[in-house]
Amino acid sequence: MLDRLPFPAPALRTIEDPTDGESDLLIVGVTEGGVREGGTHPSVLGRVDIDGRGWLDRCFSRGAFAGKLGETLLVANPATQGPAMVLLVGLGAGHGSRGDAFRAAATGIRRVTDRPRKRVDIALAESFPSSCHDAIVSGAMHGCEGQAIYQTDASIHVPETLAFVGIEDKAIRRGRTIGDAVNRTRRWVNEPASVIYPETFATEAREVAEEAGLEVEVWDEKRLEAEGCRAILAVGAGSTKPPRLVILRHRGGGDEPPLAIVGKGVTFDSGGLSIKPGDGMKDMKCDMAGAATVLGVMQAIAKLGIKKNVIGLCGLAENMISGESYKLGDVIETRSGTTVEILNTDAEGRVVLADVLDVAVQQQPCAIVDLATLTGACLVALGTEVAGLMTNDTELGRAVRGASDAEGEPVWELPMFELYDELIKGKVADIKNVGEGRWGGAITAAKFLERFVAEVPWVHIDIAGPAFADSPKPHRDAGATGVMVRSLIRWVEG
Ligand code: BES
Ligand code: MN
Ligand code: ZN
């Protein structure tokens, strides 16, 4: 459906010798220790340096480059052979984690997409253990995607070929699959709400399913009605764009119970009758980032052939204003039977997820992880770079945390003490869709969700902060980040 390709994917291949003269540019990682006298350089740098008779070492000793994390230095290679240009990427202390590998590659590529280039060689592999090599590949792909998808003159010039020095084909294939999943997730989020709305998201899901080999089911408004998904329907009622529920299935684990991943897919959040001010509304096309993450993860799981059963569920609705909108004081009997009092139509994500989680529980999964741009309060608590994690199961929380730590996508746990339960007690119905005032808003939202997961081990990840960025960084553009796609793939695999 999104056949317009603002940033075409580069061809990827492996090479042994980056000094063969075919490459426009060579990207090399250098640690702070490598810059200091007596430090060791990657061997590939030595080869370039020898050709240039020590010019790079002179740059280092004059302080032109320190090797700090995220630092770059683009220099012309004075040698008459080999790559014409060399980009040094700082690796800091050089701990060699997957997160660092991903960022170093993304930073390097972003620095050199300012103009068209035929072949860019990436010689980061020897700075990292082989367990990080696929992250170099997906990081490089990440650097080729951005938010300016409607600019007439492309702001990112994707190199025709990315050649990875010393990375095996297998790691390239894996890195490509994961990088593509992350970039597609970003693209869905970056598309405006006039392009991605519940029906078109469902069409995307069908196409992904077809391409990757997933089973797919789409519930339209009639089916949602028949299934008792009154909460999803209530949130979508104010929009001319009807809601949808997308269910994707990957069968790789025989008779084992499935894992379920659930995403909030509010394709635009105006706040509804509790309308947002313009400043709070302008980026609300991003409010389906959870659902986009689920779709990206499911695509990757299928393509990687992971030997697990996984169900992905995306709850899709547009939160708008009309004579049909759901109202303050409305009581909704959710699919599970729990009744909800609506006291703020801008707390719509939890209302949508109430029904989606109930559908997930019915599939008898052994674990549920949900992803949602759920609360501004989570941004207040943890800032823009860190996701909030809340759980009813310590073990599962630890497993998800382990995966996100390994991928360098920070999450931090917020408590789920029982004492918060009374903050969402309803006066008219069982529960209300807001807490008492603003305090603890990320937690009261999670407490609401907890009421719909029954006894199933469950983790809720609030990605309101890291899903969509205001400003760019060396390793990524502003806009959609694709956060948690890599972590969830790892969690499912592990
Ligand atoms: N989609 C928003 C949360 C959000 C805020 C996501 C900023 C990304 C960036 C959510 O639906 C919302 O509006 N939450 C309200 C809840 C409140 C009314 C209880 C909020 O956080 O203000
Ligand atoms: Mn809202
Ligand atoms: Zn929302």
Side-chain angles (χ1 to χ4, degrees), residues 264 269-271 276 284 287 319 345-349 374:
K264 169 179 174 182
D269 182 12
S270 72
K276 287 181 185 293
M284 279 303 128
D287 215 16
N319 189 21
T345 60
D346 197 13
E348 83 299 336
L374 204 63

Side-chain angles (χ1 to χ4, degrees), residues 205-407:
R206 282 208 162 95
E207 284 180 18
V208 166
E210 168 88 13
E211 181 196 312
L214 290 157
E215 290 171 34
V216 61
E217 211 179 297
V218 176
W219 292 4
D220 64 6
E221 61 273 34
K222 282 196 203 90
R223 179 77 190 268
L224 288 168
E225 180 90 57
E227 293 281 349
C229 293
R230 289 170 294 268
I232 299 176
L233 288 163
V235 171
S239 173
T240 52
K241 309 246 183 350
R244 293 286 182 269
L245 176 70
V246 170
I247 305 172
L248 298 150
R249 278 194 186 77
H250 168 74
R251 292 186 206 271
D255 304 329
E256 286 171 22
L259 304 168
I261 51 177
V262 167
K264 169 179 174 182
V266 173
T267 56
F268 187 72
D269 182 12
S270 72
L273 290 172
S274 314
I275 192 167
K276 287 181 185 293
D279 235 15
M281 202 192 293
K282 66 178 170 38
D283 292 331
M284 279 303 128
K285 66 177 183 183
C286 83
D287 215 16
M288 37 62 78
T293 306
V294 167
L295 188 50
V297 170
M298 292 304 292
Q299 169 184 304
I301 286 171
K303 288 192 174 176
L304 293 170
I306 294 177
K307 296 206 172 350
K308 295 272 167 64
N309 293 327
V310 188
I311 305 183
L313 302 104
C314 305
L316 303 157
E318 193 182 54
N319 189 21
M320 294 293 280
I321 301 187
S322 81
E324 307 285 328
S325 294
Y326 77 137
K327 304 173 201 62
L328 284 75
D330 278 359
V331 172
I332 303 165
E333 187 186 349
T334 62
R335 186 174 193 267
S336 73
T338 297
T339 55
V340 173
E341 210 169 314
I342 302 301
L343 295 182
N344 190 322
T345 60
D346 197 13
E348 83 299 336
R350 67 197 74 180
V351 180
V352 170
L353 289 174
D355 281 349
V356 189
L357 288 169
D358 186 64
V359 176
V361 167
Q362 209 174 25
Q363 302 291 323
Q364 297 181 295
C366 53
I368 301 176
V369 174
D370 82 69
L371 299 129
T373 46
L374 204 63
T375 65
C378 199
L379 266 155
V380 175
L382 300 175
T384 57
E385 300 284 321
V386 180
L389 180 148
M390 286 141 272
T391 184
N392 64 358
D393 188 286
T394 315
E395 271 304 295
L396 181 62
R398 199 171 295 151
V400 174
R401 264 288 292 279
S404 75
D405 285 349
E407 295 295 331

